[in-house]
Every structure is written in structure tokens, then in C-alpha cells.
Amino acid sequence: MERTVIIDALKRTDYGQKICVKGWVRSRRGNKNVSFIALNDGSTIKNIQIVADAAKFSDEELKPITTGSCICCVGTLVESQGAGQTSEIQADTLEVYGTADPEQYPLQKKGLSMEYLRTIAHLRPRTNTFGAVLRIRHNMAMAIHSYFHQHGYFYFHTPLITASDCEGAGQMFQVTTKNLYNLKYDEEGHIDYSDDFFGKQASLTVSGQLEGELGAMALGKIYTFGPTFRAENSNTPRHLAEFWMIEPEIAFMDKQEMMDLEEDDLKYCVRWALDNCMDDLEFLNQFVDKGLIDRLKSVIDTEFVRLPYTEGIEILQEAIRNGKKFEFPCEWGDDLSSEHERYLVEEHFKKPVIMTDYPREIKAFYMKLNEGGKTVQGTDVLFPQIGEIIGGSVREESYDKLMNEIEVRQIPMKDMWWYLDTRRFGSAPHAGFGLGFERLMLFVTGMQNIRDVIPFPRTPKTAEF
Ligand code: 4AD
Ligand code: MG
């Protein structure tokens, strides 16, 4: 008999009809007359209840149906008597596909800690929390593609292996086929990469932006959406070594328009979650973060603050004068740390902030210089609970100014000729940003740690699974 997925089974009202469901047992309880099996197949956070009459099933048959086991049930769809349920199944046959020894199955108990669940990341998708998170993750990816497709952007695939360092921060993982046990060095102690796979030093990309700019200079509006890699040794709840990033790049866009785009895109994704993921959000709102749904609703209803960095520093210093204590300094010229960002967003404005016009020294080489040369047209979006969720900028389109930055910052030029060509041949004003997909996920799910919004997190000293 054809299988009905549980999300559809729960909607059916053709009581009396035969139905077949398959899934993993969340629990079995009951007495000597009847067993109640809560079955979940991942299609929804909701379980369907299977009622197994002792008259039909022997103890021997029911014994292997324990938490975590996988079964197939054929039976009759009936209207449920229990509160909060619509339909349930009166079982005719129960087939066990796979048992899960109760002595060994790690997901027996409820309320396991997030830390423990990370050690069993191969099984944690079967919990309610991770099921919810992962369904929302899928939805957010769909929202991103839908948003950009609807707005006339082309999905432009940028390479994951690259020979250039977009952010110039030197946090790249190397890609090589060289025998690391037998490296040869020249007189200066450098490795000769000419016989390496790519004939030069290559790495995993930290950002698709540079190639994205090439796409925008031909197709007008593009976005990339793929994994990026950073070998930064930051063990925080907001950093991964492998994370996904959405990077639109748009010809002829100025700073104002880009801030509008950043705000509109984020609101679209949050609205998508509210429209399409309510069952999962309600679960997370109840068990993970009581303020979640209110916070999501408030974001789509508020206008984001737009705040020049210099004014932000003034607000922070005023706060310090009034007795606020920060761990890190925040003089003009300092990079803001997340305590500063969160003060501005959560305590001062109580809404998302788009911070602009940062000091040139703390931002990347490609950002467009403002007049006077002290600040650049960067536009970071700062979110409650998260801090920086988007980093973006108007790009420097002048060949001479860009060259100057590259020289001052001693960025290895040899491998950047193709990027500079965009400024030599039909250069155009343009802008773009990078939205951290897992940071968006943190916001939309209310989860506290970025390790818990991606199936298999990669962080310093962790590459299990
Ligand atoms: O601010 P970032 O470093 O900007 C760039 O990479 C630009 N090239 C993007 C562009 O303009 N096309 O990173 C962008 C965003 C951050 O705002 C943050 O949300 C996320 O990427 N991000 C990380 N997310 C998880 N783990 C990390 N280690 C992250 N580093 C950055
Ligand atoms: Mg940034």
C-alpha cells in the first residue's frame, strides 16, 4: 500500500479509509489492553498516534517497537478522541524495519543538553528541536532563492577553490595534493607550488564576492549562495569554520539602495518563516526561546535604524559616561565588538541597526572611500541577539583608488589582475553584501549556538561526522 507522509495523514478526514505510514517511533506507552505509538517521519514536527490493540498484537510483536525504532503501519484512519489531535490510526499490521536497542539508543530521554546532542550529531536530526531547525533551514534557503529570483537576480556560482583572499585577512584553508611528509623548500624557506595540483598556492574561499563582482559587471544583478570557509580560531557561539553565505552583487546600486535591499531581504525571509514554518516556530517558541515569535513579528514591522559609525561611537561613549561598562574599548577607529553592537541594538535602539561609513582602516580593501578618505561606504546590519548578520559595502569602482588600497595594504597583486580588469574595462558603480546564513538561522530559530543551526558544524578541533 502506498505510503502517506504524516503531515498529509494528519490533514486527512476520510475516516474509515485504510492508510499506510512509515517513520520512527518517538514513544510507546499503554497498558495490557492497548499500546499508543507516537510516530514521526520528519515531514512535520507533529507525530501521528497509532493505536495497537492487544487483541491484534502479541507482546512479542510489540516488544521491538521502542523509541527510535523504524516501523511501517497499515491501519484504519479514525478521528482522534485525544485532545490536540485530529486523526489517528487503528493498526492492522505493524512491520518493524529497524530496531533500536533501548539499552543503547542515545535519544531515549527527553531534555538532553545541546552540548550532549552535538556529540551525537548523526542522530540529533531525529529530535523535535533539530527537526524544527532543519525544516526551517530548508525554508530559509528557499526564501533566499525565491527573493532574489523574484527580484530579477541570477544565481551565479562562484568557485569554492580560489587563489585569492577576498577579505585579505589570511584565514584560509589550503588546498593541496602535495605530499605533506615530503615538502621541498627553496633557499628562502618557501614551498614551491609550481608542481602542485593548481600550479600555485590555492585555498578554500572565504567569500564569493570577488567573482560575484565579475558576474554583476555582466549580468547586472547576481547572487551567490554557497559554503565559505574561514580558518579563524574563534570559538564563539556565532562563528563556524564552514558556513553558508548569501552574497548579492548589483551594478549601479548606491549605498541607500543597498540598505533598502538588506532590510527588505531580511524581512522577506523572516516573513517566509512566519508564513511557512509556524508549527516549528511554535515549538521553538515554547521550548527554546519564549520571545521568538514576538521578536520575528517585531522585526518585520519595524524600520531598521540607519546609523553612521561615528554617531554610533558617540552613543557608546555617552553610555560609558553614564556608567555603562564594556570589556573592550570603543574609541573612534576601533572595530566594534559584539557587546557594543548588542548594546546599540538591544538596549539603545531596541531594533535592528544598519551601521554605515566605517573607518577605512578596519574594513576591507574593496570598499568605496568617502570624500576625505577617512571612512568607507560599508553597511553592516546588526541584529538583536546576533550582532552582525550582514556585512556589505559599495565597492570602489575607481581603478586608481582601488590600486592605492591594494598597495597600501600590501595585498598580493599578482593573482588579482582579473579583478582589477573590472575597473579597467567598463567599470561601473556597484555594491553588494554577504548575509551569514547561519546567523540568519540563529535569529529565526532563537537557538543560542551557531553549532546547532547547521547539521554538522565545523569548528576548531571539530570535524566529526
Ligand atoms: O563581513 P564578512 O566577512 O563580509 C564578507 O565576506 C564580504 N565579502 C561579503 C560581501 O560583501 N559579499 O562576512 C559576511 C557575513 C557576516 O556578516 C556574518 O553574518 C557571516 O558572513 N560570517 C560568519 N558566519 C559564521 N561564521 C563565521 N566565521 C562568519 N564570518 C562571517
Ligand atoms: Mg563583517
Side-chain angles (χ1 to χ4, degrees), residues 130-323:
F130 284 90
V133 166
L134 295 173
R135 279 183 295 272
I136 293 172
R137 188 176 166 106
H138 160 80
N139 267 278
M140 288 300 92
M142 292 299 115
I144 291 290
H145 285 301
S146 160
Y147 180 83
F148 286 111
H149 178 66
Q150 278 178 19
H151 289 80
Y153 289 69
F154 298 108
Y155 184 20
F156 187 72
H157 292 106
T158 54
L160 300 191
I161 300 176
T162 170
S164 55
D165 182 354
C166 172
E167 293 302 297
Q171 298 171 323
M172 305 184 83
F173 291 101
Q174 280 198 49
V175 176
T176 181
T177 52
K178 273 183 162 297
N179 179 356
L180 297 180
Y181 294 103
N182 186 23
L183 288 176
K184 297 201 176 58
Y185 302 88
D186 67 12
E187 286 98 75
E188 279 149 25
H190 297 306
I191 297 169
D192 177 11
Y193 285 97
S194 62
D195 64 348
D196 199 354
F197 189 90
F198 297 105
K200 58 165 85 167
Q201 192 174 1
S203 307
L204 294 177
T205 191
V206 296
S207 158
Q209 177 193 327
L210 301 187
E211 290 90 352
E213 287 185 51
L214 310 182
M217 291 299 104
L219 301 171
K221 300 204 278 192
I222 64 91
Y223 69 106
T224 77
F225 182 8
T228 48
F229 307 87
R230 294 197 187 176
E232 56 189 330
N233 201 357
S234 15
N235 245 313
T236 82
R238 279 183 288 279
H239 288 87
L240 290 166
E242 176 180 303
F243 63 99
W244 287 65
M245 183 153 56
I246 297 101
E247 297 182 274
E249 196 69 37
I250 312 95
F252 318 117
M253 181 169 268
D254 66 17
K255 189 177 79 182
Q256 204 60 40
E257 292 165 326
M258 182 155 72
M259 291 191 285
D260 292 344
L261 173 67
E262 291 170 337
E263 180 166 344
D264 195 46
D265 182 25
L266 286 166
K267 285 180 172 170
Y268 182 92
C269 291
V270 171
R271 203 174 299 118
W272 183 293
L274 288 168
D275 288 346
N276 296 282
C277 309
M278 214 25 155
D279 287 347
D280 290 322
L281 288 176
E282 274 168 0
F283 174 86
L284 295 170
N285 194 69
Q286 190 177 349
F287 293 104
V288 170
D289 177 350
K290 298 262 185 268
L292 176 64
I293 291 177
D294 283 346
R295 200 162 53 245
L296 296 183
K297 286 185 174 154
S298 89
V299 157
I300 55 177
D301 289 338
T302 38
E303 225 170 279
F304 297 4
V305 176
R306 298 178 181 198
L307 178 74
Y309 169 91
T310 302
E311 285 174 34
I313 291 290
E314 280 161 16
I315 293 170
L316 290 167
Q317 293 191 336
E318 175 70 22
I320 292 170
R321 280 194 294 277
N322 292 332

Side-chain angles (χ1 to χ4, degrees), residues 23-39:
W24 293 269
V25 174
R26 284 297 168 80
S27 66
R28 177 163 70 85
R29 59 187 177 79
N31 51 42
K32 49 181 191 333
N33 300 324
V34 62
S35 267
F36 299 102
I37 301 163
L39 197 70

Side-chain angles (χ1 to χ4, degrees), residues 167 363 380 388 390-391:
E167 293 302 297
K363 287 292 181 187
D380 283 6
E388 180 188 332
I390 282 182

